[in-house]
Amino acid sequence: MESKDFLKSLSNKTGVSGTEEEITKAVKEVFGDYIDESRTDALGNLITLKRGEGKESDKPQIMLAAHIDEIGLMVKEIDEKGFLKFTTVGGIDQRTLVGQEVLVYGKEVVKGIIGAKPPHVQDKKEQKQAIKLKDMYIDLGRNVKEVKGLVEVGDLIVVTREFCDLEGNRVSGKSLDDRAGVTMVLECLKELQRLKHASDVYGVATVQEEVGVRGATTSTYGIVPDIGIAIDVCHGEMPGVSDEETANLGEGPVIFLGPQVHPKLHKKLKRIAQEFDISYQIGTSTSPRGTDAFAIQVTRSGIPTALVSIPLRYMHTSVETLDLNDIKKGGRLLANFISQVDSEFVEGLRCF
């Protein structure tokens, strides 16, 4: 399957943190052509394995982790007129919610819209402020009896948004954070089909990243890799945001440096990019808790970790936007890195 088709398929599916089963099934089916085995752990992480050609006694173990869960909403109250009050699952940009079409996953999937008090009837103070989540509601267009027959407190809600093509290699959709990262893992596995590699490669589609990097914590603990690489998204350039806080779409993956990144892995990834003429960018992160890299690094007695990201605009909205070339370049980078890892390199990671 082509990368764009795969990403489109994942983006259009629903998998709010804690309910990723549909996404797991889709990823497992496509990854199956490029791996030797797969399993799902107790938390729901999909753990796939492509075996390397090295000796079993000293074969390096490399883990590639990208999360499949998405941010969403949850019903917390049904009022006396049948309007739904809701809360968030993960970090949603609340400013973007009013006027959105949604799907409520109750006893059946129900369409609705997010509404709020219109400016015509707001007082002057309200007109100057962003609408707060507590003042929003979901209108299902049904009476209270019908609503209560279909929906319960705790039901999940997602914004309705179809994946779409923009100009050139640019695409937009929901949950590209981080199903684009999963797509980069697929590109890596495809590239490894034509390369020799000594290492066993674990491609892990992690769950519940958006609510505390939980999937990466448990999957890393179970695998105990010699090297862990988190693949996620970072902020792409856009108006109003400084250059030092963003990366450029279409100019390659971002190789991050920070306290969660092993310096020798960072150096090796840069050298591989240069050797194979893969365009790349450098990013810095001094707040490591925002990606699976944090969970990987501090598992058990510590795992040498790297972070590779895809520039993405409008993060945590339903119109996240990226360039497909960055995913493909990232896949090449990871595959060529893996092909050059041996037991001697892994041993050297223990000495800073």
Side-chain angles (χ1 to χ4, degrees):
M1 180 180 287
E2 290 298 316
S3 292
K4 184 168 78 170
D5 296 331
F6 179 63
L7 182 57
K8 178 179 180 179
S9 171
L10 297 186
S11 174
N12 287 342
K13 288 180 169 57
T14 297
V16 177
S17 300
T19 59
E20 301 92 347
E21 297 86 357
E22 183 182 9
I23 313 300
T24 300
K25 181 180 178 181
V27 174
K28 181 179 179 179
E29 182 178 346
V30 175
F31 275 27
D33 292 335
Y34 307 101
I35 60 172
D36 296 303
E37 60 185 71
S38 67
R39 61 185 174 88
T40 303
D41 70 11
L43 197 66
N45 297 296
L46 174 65
I47 300 173
T48 69
L49 172 60
K50 179 174 174 53
R51 297 193 181 280
E53 301 174 5
K55 295 180 180 179
E56 290 296 331
S57 58
D58 63 354
K59 188 188 296 186
Q61 312 288 305
I62 300 176
M63 173 179 172
L64 307 177
H67 71 89
I68 54 174
D69 60 313
E70 66 183 294
I71 55 177
L73 305 169
M74 180 181 286
V75 178
K76 72 172 187 178
E77 180 187 343
I78 304 172
D79 76 7
E80 69 278 2
K81 293 185 177 181
F83 294 107
L84 308 181
K85 303 299 287 184
F86 57 90
T87 188
T88 59
V89 180
I92 289 181
D93 186 344
Q94 299 177 15
R95 301 169 302 170
T96 68
L97 290 176
V98 174
Q100 295 276 17
E101 297 178 3
V102 297
L103 296 176
V104 181
Y105 285 78
K107 293 177 182 177
E108 59 183 67
V109 181
V110 186
K111 291 182 179 180
I113 57 96
I114 297 178
K117 188 177 181 180
H120 314 72
V121 291
Q122 289 178 337
D123 60 36
K124 290 184 178 180
K125 183 179 179 182
E126 289 175 325
Q127 290 175 1
K128 295 178 181 179
Q129 298 173 339
I131 300 172
K132 297 178 181 178
L133 194 72
K134 67 181 182 65
D135 296 322
M136 302 178 196
Y137 53 83
I138 293 174
D139 185 347
L140 301 181
R142 300 167 183 258
N143 63 46
V144 64
K145 184 178 179 181
E146 290 178 309
V147 171
K148 288 187 174 180
L150 291 170
V151 178
E152 296 178 344
V153 170
D155 287 342
L156 292 171
I157 307 157
V158 296
V159 172
T160 304
R161 180 70 65 178
E162 288 292 315
F163 182 95
C164 72
D165 293 317
L166 300 176
E167 187 65 25
N169 293 298
R170 306 284 170 89
V171 297
S172 180
K174 71 172 185 65
S175 63
L176 302 189
D177 172 11
D178 182 37
R179 294 170 193 168
V182 179
T183 307
M184 185 185 289
V185 176
L186 175 62
E187 282 296 311
C188 173
L189 292 173
K190 288 180 178 179
E191 192 76 9
L192 286 174
Q193 294 290 92
R194 65 177 190 81
L195 297 175
K196 291 185 177 181
H197 57 99
S199 303
D200 283 344
V201 180
Y202 290 88
V204 184
T206 64
V207 298
Q208 298 191 42
E209 189 269 357
E210 297 290 4
V211 291
V213 295
R214 297 172 184 174
T217 301
T218 60
S219 57
T220 308
Y221 194 93
I223 296 169
V224 197
D226 297 301
I227 295 170
I229 303 177
I231 300 103
D232 213 313
V233 296
C234 62
H235 295 291
E237 93 287 351
M238 66 191 96
V241 184
S242 62
D243 290 344
E244 61 266 25
E245 295 180 286
T246 63
N248 295 322
L249 272 63
E251 295 187 11
V254 183
I255 306 172
F256 268 87
L257 187 62
Q260 77 276 38
V261 173
H262 195 295
K264 289 186 178 178
L265 292 178
H266 178 80
K267 183 178 180 180
K268 179 84 167 178
L269 284 165
K270 283 202 304 180
R271 188 183 65 76
I272 294 293
Q274 293 162 0
E275 179 181 343
F276 289 91
D277 196 25
I278 301 169
S279 58
Y280 69 96
Q281 303 172 73
I282 298 296
T284 58
S285 173
T286 56
S287 301
R289 291 180 179 269
T291 71
D292 282 341
F294 170 74
I296 296 169
Q297 182 197 33
V298 299
T299 295
R300 295 210 178 193
S301 58
I303 305 295
T305 302
L307 174 60
V308 176
S309 292
I310 302 158
L312 174 137
R313 294 175 180 158
Y314 323 125
M315 193 181 297
H316 283 200
T317 72
S318 63
V319 291
E320 294 175 332
T321 301
L322 55 75
D323 192 305
L324 292 168
N325 280 338
D326 294 329
I327 297 175
K328 294 180 179 180
K329 291 173 183 177
R332 282 187 59 219
L333 172 64
L334 293 173
N336 283 286
F337 168 84
I338 290 166
S339 73
Q340 294 196 19
V341 170
D342 55 23
S343 57
E344 182 179 351
F345 176 76
V346 169
E347 183 64 30
L349 296 175
R350 300 185 176 96
C351 306
F352 278 84

